[in-house]
Amino acid sequence: MLDRLAKSASSEKIRVLIVDDSATVRRALSDIISSAPDLEVMATASDPYKAAERMRDEIPDVMFLDIEMPRMDGLTFLRRIMAQRPIPVVICSTLTAEGSTAFMQALEAGAVDVITKPRVDTAQALSDSRMRICDVARAAAHARIGVRRRVVQPVKIEKKLTADAIIPHVTLRKRPGLITDRIIAIGASTGGTEALRAVLTALPLDCPGIVIVQHMPERFTASFAERLDGLCRIAVKEAETGDPVIPGRALIAPGNHHMLLERLGKQYRVVIKDGPHVSRHRPSVDVLFRSAAQAAGANAMGILLTGMGDDGAHGLLEMRSAGARTVAQDEATCVVFGMPKEAIALGAAEKILPLDRIARQITEDVRRSPEACAS
């Protein structure tokens, strides 16, 4: 048994176990995952019992798990895995608003990410599904689960668009201007749902307005915002174009759409836009951070939390160059130390903090004198 586990851990490819009661979904996921040179399907299973039998012989690097299945639901199976032998689990589901409770329970039980089942109805939908599914598999394989973190060889990723595709780059100059409210811009990906919960639940009701990009599929962001709204002292909602950014409220970018910050006189609002994936994501943290740099300058604070890849790293640097305070989550408390690591390497992070210190840093930053915040 130990030899088999060692073989799995040392495999050059990321080995994926797919658990779904639909043969069509198992085949679609298998075809997508197998198309990536660094990924392979270890096995598929139609229910948790068959998956458990397969795992007696070999432990996968990542599991894709449906929630609604016969004999045993995915949520029960997830909890048993996390109690007995934790591994990175990605929830792959068609959950709608009615299933929001189960979706949030899965994240709280230890799932590292959530994706929608693959769409194959059009070439563009298939391409988007392939990019998202393969990227999530790679991110999950890097995830810190308990004391476990698998060492994965880097793989060359296809070219990606920058924030230029959505919002033009401009050279910013620090200059006197109207004093406006402070704003907080936060970006997160894999592991970010629980990281955001930790930060937002610790904030006081009078904290600055907050804008957030969490990499998450369409429809799930509304459920996520609703759940946080019930846990936090501040209000939390899925953003809509024209929503004002006001103290005591956090706006979360809707899945599959970019979110930008705009300044109107002394106030801010958000704009929701369609457009291509930026840094392989929609919404993109780089897009939000660039807009925050341009609209708020030194009145902003940028925070980059756990996640795979480099989305947000360049945007955080633009925020710092515009006079904003910037923070990256430290490696020890990240589920995946990818995005913060890239930002730190660029010199974008003014401070590197553990997760439990970030909410306090936000409140301390607000106490700075107004004169220090002019943009």
Side-chain angles (χ1 to χ4, degrees):
M1 181 64 176
L2 291 177
D3 289 342
R4 287 194 293 268
L5 292 179
K7 178 181 177 181
S8 175
S10 62
S11 173
E12 291 185 359
K13 290 189 175 184
I14 296 167
R15 297 173 63 76
V16 180
L17 173 61
I18 299 168
V19 188
D20 196 295
D21 62 321
S22 167
T24 301
V25 172
R26 293 198 303 274
R27 170 52 58 189
L29 282 171
S30 295
D31 289 346
I32 287 172
I33 291 169
S34 299
S35 70
D38 58 324
L39 306 175
E40 67 178 343
V41 178
M42 184 190 89
T44 65
S46 58
D47 63 52
Y49 290 97
K50 293 179 180 178
E53 289 177 7
R54 184 65 179 84
M55 290 171 65
R56 291 192 185 101
D57 295 325
E58 190 172 359
I59 302 298
D61 298 313
V62 178
M63 178 188 297
F64 279 69
L65 177 65
D66 189 17
I67 285 187
E68 298 176 348
M69 290 182 291
R71 299 216 289 168
M72 181 190 296
D73 65 271
L75 185 56
T76 299
F77 187 44
L78 172 65
R79 287 171 173 157
R80 292 186 180 183
I81 291 170
M82 292 304 165
Q84 297 173 13
R85 208 292 184 180
I87 61 172
V89 176
V90 175
I91 298 300
C92 184
S93 181
T94 54
L95 286 177
T96 59
E98 290 75 18
S100 61
T101 299
F103 154 62
M104 290 306 303
Q105 287 176 339
L107 290 171
E108 292 168 359
V112 297
D113 214 333
V114 57
I115 60 171
T116 53
K117 293 188 178 184
R119 286 183 53 198
V120 296
D121 49 323
T122 67
Q124 185 59 51
L126 177 59
S127 176
D128 289 349
S129 291
R130 179 180 290 112
M131 180 175 66
R132 174 66 176 157
I133 288 166
C134 292
D135 283 355
V136 164
R138 295 180 183 109
H142 284 80
R144 183 192 299 274
I145 305 297
V147 297
R148 175 193 184 279
R149 177 177 278 166
R150 184 183 189 272
V151 177
V152 181
Q153 295 299 319
V155 62
K156 185 177 181 181
I157 302 297
E158 62 193 73
K159 187 177 180 180
K160 54 194 174 186
L161 297 176
T162 69
D164 293 345
I166 303 298
I167 175 171
H169 180 271
V170 298
T171 300
L172 300 173
R173 294 193 302 266
K174 299 177 186 178
R175 62 187 186 278
L178 293 173
I179 304 301
T180 64
D181 288 336
R182 306 300 309 284
I183 67 102
I184 311 296
I186 304 177
S189 189
T190 308
T193 53
E194 288 303 287
L196 284 168
R197 182 169 68 91
V199 172
L200 297 185
T201 55
L203 291 174
L205 187 58
D206 61 350
C207 73
I210 301 171
V211 285
I212 299 169
V213 162
Q214 163 69 50
H215 296 156
M216 188 177 284
E218 196 169 12
R219 293 187 299 275
F220 289 141
T221 42
S223 299
F224 179 50
E226 183 180 355
R227 175 63 169 163
L228 287 176
D229 186 62
L231 295 173
C232 300
R233 283 171 285 184
I234 65 172
V236 184
K237 75 179 293 281
E238 184 183 57
E240 301 174 83
T241 289
D243 278 343
V245 182
I246 57 177
R249 184 168 75 170
L251 300 173
I252 297 179
N256 205 35
H257 300 278
H258 294 296
M259 181 169 73
L260 289 76
L261 182 75
E262 285 190 348
R263 176 172 165 175
L264 296 174
K266 294 184 178 182
Q267 297 182 336
Y268 302 104
R269 69 169 189 167
V270 295
V271 176
I272 308 304
K273 285 190 175 182
D274 293 324
H277 288 75
V278 170
S279 300
R280 299 175 67 83
H281 293 285
R282 186 175 59 221
S284 164
V285 184
D286 270 331
V287 170
L288 175 63
F289 281 3
R290 172 174 288 183
S291 70
Q294 295 181 7
N299 292 316
M301 180 180 186
I303 301 171
L304 196 55
L305 301 176
T306 174
M308 183 71 177
D310 64 358
D311 188 29
H314 292 278
L316 195 70
L317 181 60
E318 291 183 28
M319 289 188 70
R320 186 174 188 183
S321 298
R325 307 296 297 272
T326 58
V327 173
Q329 186 179 350
D330 72 352
E331 181 175 10
T333 61
C334 279
V335 172
V336 178
F337 188 55
M339 288 158 40
K341 180 181 180 180
E342 294 296 326
I344 293 166
L346 288 175
E350 179 186 9
K351 293 189 176 183
I352 304 166
L353 298 174
L355 182 62
D356 62 4
R357 182 67 179 76
I358 290 176
R360 193 192 323 165
Q361 184 62 45
I362 291 173
T363 58
E364 290 175 357
D365 184 68
V366 174
R367 298 192 190 108
R368 291 193 302 153
S369 64
E371 290 76 12
C373 303
S375 63

